[in-house]
Amino acid sequence: MQLHYSPYDFDVQADPYPYYARLRAEAPVFRNETDDFWALSRHADIVAALRDSDRFSSANGLRMEPAFWGPQAERLFSFVAMDPPKHTRMRELVVRAFTQRRVHGLEPRLREIARGLLAPLVERGSFDLMTDFAGPFPTEVISELVGVPERDRDMLRKLGMEIMYTDEQSTDLRPEAMQAIGAMIGYYTELTIERSRDRRDDLLSGLLDAADGDDRLTPEEIVGVLILLVGAGIETVMLTIGNLWHAGWQHPDQRRKAFDGQIDRWIAEAMRYEPATQTMLRTATEQVELHGVTVPAGARLLLITAAANRDPDVFADPDTFDLDRDTSATLAFGHGRHHCLGANLALLELRVALQEIVGKIADYDIDPAGLRRIHSSNNRGFAALPTTVTAR
C-alpha cells in the first residue's frame, strides 16, 4: 500500500503511530505534495534539525495552517517563532520574569486548586476527567501565575479550545477560531494596559518590569507571551493529564507501579509514549540533502517529535508503555535553544495533580464508549474521558 501521511487526516489522528513507523522505515524524508511540506521522523534527524537554527528556522511558526504560518506567527507564538538574535533577546527578558522562585512559590496554591477541584469529583465517584479536572486545573494555574481575574478564566479556556481544535478535516482555521484569536489578543491587551497602571505579584507585572539595561518588552511582545501560555501552559498540560490517565488505564500493571509511588516515571513515560504535542514546524533556509533526498530552500519541514519518541534506534521496544525505561532522550519538551521554557512548571503541575489524585483514589476505570479524541493537526489528546473512581 502506498505510504500516505497528513497531520490533517482523521485516520492519522485516530492512531498516528503505524504511520510514523512506516515513515521512519520507508521515507525518513517524506514529501506531501498536497499540503506542501516535508516530514522528518527519525530521532537523530530531528535532534540535528532542532540544534541547527541557521538551516532550520522557526521564524514562520510552529503550525502549517495559513493563519499560523508566516511572518505573523510571532504574534501568536512569541519567541518560539523567532530565531537568534530576536529569540535570544526575547527569551532572556522572559526568563527574568519567569523565575524558578515564582514557579516553585506556586506549589502550595497548586495543591489548593487541585484539592478544591477533586473533592466533589471523588465524592461523586464518576466524572469526565477532561472537562471536570484536566481542563480547569491548568487554566487556574496559568491564570494564577499571570494574574488573570477569576471571573475571566473560563472564558479564556473556551477561547483556547476554539482556536486549537476542529471537527473539520481542513488545513485552515474556521472563522470562529479566527474570532477567538482576535478576542484573546484584545483581552490580553486590555489586561496588560490595566496592569501597567497597577502592578501585582504576578507574571504579567514581572514581564512589564523585565529589563536588560534600557531594553524592555513592548506591550505587543508581552501579549504574544501571554497568548503562547494559553497553548503551551494550558492546552498542553490538559492534554498530557488525559494522555497519561488513558495510558495508565490501558496498562494496569504500569498503573499499579505509578500508584505505588512512581508518579514521576508515569509522567515521563506517558510524555514519551503519547505526547500531547506531536510535531514542530521549521523552514529550510537553504537547500538540504538528507537520506538521498533534496529539500529545497524555503520548504516547510514538519519535525514529527512523537515519531522520534518511538524510534527503535533510541528506545527499545518503543511501542510498549514501560515505567522502568530510560526516557532521558525524549523530545517531549523539544531540544536545543527552543527547549520548553515552562518545562519545570509543567512538570510541577503534573506531579501535584497526580499526587493529589493518587492520594484520594485507590483505582479508576474509563468508559470506552464515552471516550472522545480531539481533532488537531499537531496536538493529540482527549476531549472526553468518562472516569469512575474508587475512593481510598
Side-chain angles (χ1 to χ4, degrees):
M1 186 172 67
Q2 184 177 1
L3 176 58
H4 164 78
Y5 167 75
S6 169
Y8 302 111
D9 189 323
F10 281 6
D11 288 336
V12 172
Q13 292 175 13
D15 183 8
Y17 300 105
Y19 292 88
Y20 296 164
R22 287 192 65 190
L23 288 171
R24 287 192 307 265
E26 301 172 29
V29 184
F30 175 79
R31 172 63 170 150
N32 181 312
E33 297 274 359
T34 303
D35 298 325
D36 189 23
F37 71 89
W38 305 73
L40 303 184
S41 50
R42 291 182 181 172
H43 190 279
D45 296 335
I46 291 174
V47 167
L50 291 173
R51 285 176 175 166
D52 187 355
S53 58
D54 290 335
R55 292 198 303 161
F56 301 97
S57 169
S58 301
N60 286 314
L62 308 183
R63 292 180 59 171
M64 292 192 296
E65 289 87 347
F68 288 133
W69 188 83
Q72 78 279 8
E74 66 182 55
R75 288 191 68 198
L76 296 172
F77 296 111
S78 184
F79 57 91
V80 177
M82 297 176 186
D83 297 322
K86 287 177 71 175
H87 171 268
T88 306
R89 169 191 168 266
M90 276 283 294
R91 186 173 173 117
E92 287 180 354
L93 285 170
V94 172
V95 164
R96 291 172 185 265
F98 204 89
T99 62
Q100 289 306 303
R101 180 196 64 80
R102 178 165 272 133
V103 169
H104 290 297
L106 279 171
E107 183 170 349
R109 180 64 181 131
L110 263 62
R111 294 198 180 277
E112 187 181 335
I113 292 168
R115 289 168 184 167
L117 289 168
L118 285 168
L121 304 181
V122 174
E123 186 174 342
R124 275 196 345 235
S126 61
F127 52 89
D128 184 337
L129 182 83
M130 301 312 297
T131 57
D132 294 334
F133 182 81
F137 178 65
T139 301
E140 288 295 315
V141 171
I142 292 299
S143 297
E144 194 84 14
L145 174 71
V146 169
V148 173
E150 287 191 24
R151 66 179 181 273
D152 298 333
R153 296 177 182 183
D154 193 49
M155 176 267 294
L156 284 175
R157 185 167 72 90
K158 289 176 180 174
L159 288 176
M161 295 288 284
E162 194 71 68
I163 295 167
M164 295 289 174
Y165 313 125
T166 179
D167 287 327
E168 301 170 12
Q169 201 159 311
S170 170
T171 59
D172 207 352
L173 294 183
R174 295 165 297 116
E176 295 87 349
M178 297 299 295
Q179 291 165 10
I181 291 171
M184 193 174 287
I185 291 172
Y187 175 81
Y188 278 127
T189 299
E190 290 298 318
L191 188 65
T192 301
I193 292 169
E194 178 185 314
R195 194 66 84 251
S196 69
R197 297 191 294 257
D198 179 21
R199 296 289 202 277
R200 310 277 179 87
D201 184 20
D202 55 35
L203 179 64
L204 180 48
S205 298
L207 290 169
L208 284 161
D209 291 333
D212 181 8
D214 293 332
D215 187 19
R216 293 178 178 272
L217 295 168
T218 67
E220 292 78 16
E221 288 172 337
I222 290 173
V223 170
V225 172
L226 298 181
I227 291 172
L228 174 64
L229 281 171
V230 173
I234 297 177
E235 307 303 331
T236 304
V237 171
M238 175 186 80
L239 296 175
T240 300
I241 291 173
N243 287 351
L244 63 86
W245 195 249
H246 183 255
W249 171 70
Q250 285 186 311
H251 304 89
D253 56 330
Q254 301 302 304
R255 180 172 78 241
R256 184 43 49 203
K257 290 180 183 178
F259 271 61
D260 286 345
Q262 295 189 32
I263 284 177
D264 284 350
R265 288 179 175 271
W266 187 12
I267 294 167
E269 174 64 349
M271 293 184 75
R272 179 203 69 84
Y273 180 80
E274 186 82 297
T277 301
Q278 297 270 301
T279 64
M280 298 179 186
L281 192 64
R282 293 293 187 268
T283 306
T285 61
E286 60 183 58
Q287 182 174 294
V288 176
E289 302 283 339
L290 189 60
H291 299 297
V293 177
T294 301
V295 178
R300 299 193 298 184
L301 272 160
L302 196 66
L303 309 181
I304 311 176
T305 50
N309 283 348
R310 294 206 188 189
D311 190 331
D313 287 342
V314 179
F315 302 101
D317 197 12
D319 295 326
T320 297
F321 186 69
D322 179 9
L323 266 59
D324 294 326
R325 80 163 68 247
D326 178 4
T327 58
S328 58
T330 182
L331 300 180
F333 286 115
H335 188 81
R337 70 175 72 250
H338 283 284
H339 185 270
C340 178
L341 182 62
N344 286 338
L345 174 59
L347 290 172
L348 178 63
E349 288 181 74
L350 294 168
R351 187 179 303 117
V352 165
L354 293 172
Q355 285 175 346
E356 294 299 326
I357 291 171
V358 168
K360 292 174 177 57
I361 73 167
D363 207 355
Y364 67 92
D365 196 13
I366 293 174
D367 176 8
L371 181 154
R372 191 170 80 256
R373 287 196 173 274
I374 63 166
H375 290 299
S376 169
S377 66
N378 73 319
N379 287 341
R380 179 163 171 80
F382 294 92
L385 276 177
T387 296
T388 302
V389 299
T390 305
R392 287 195 183 275

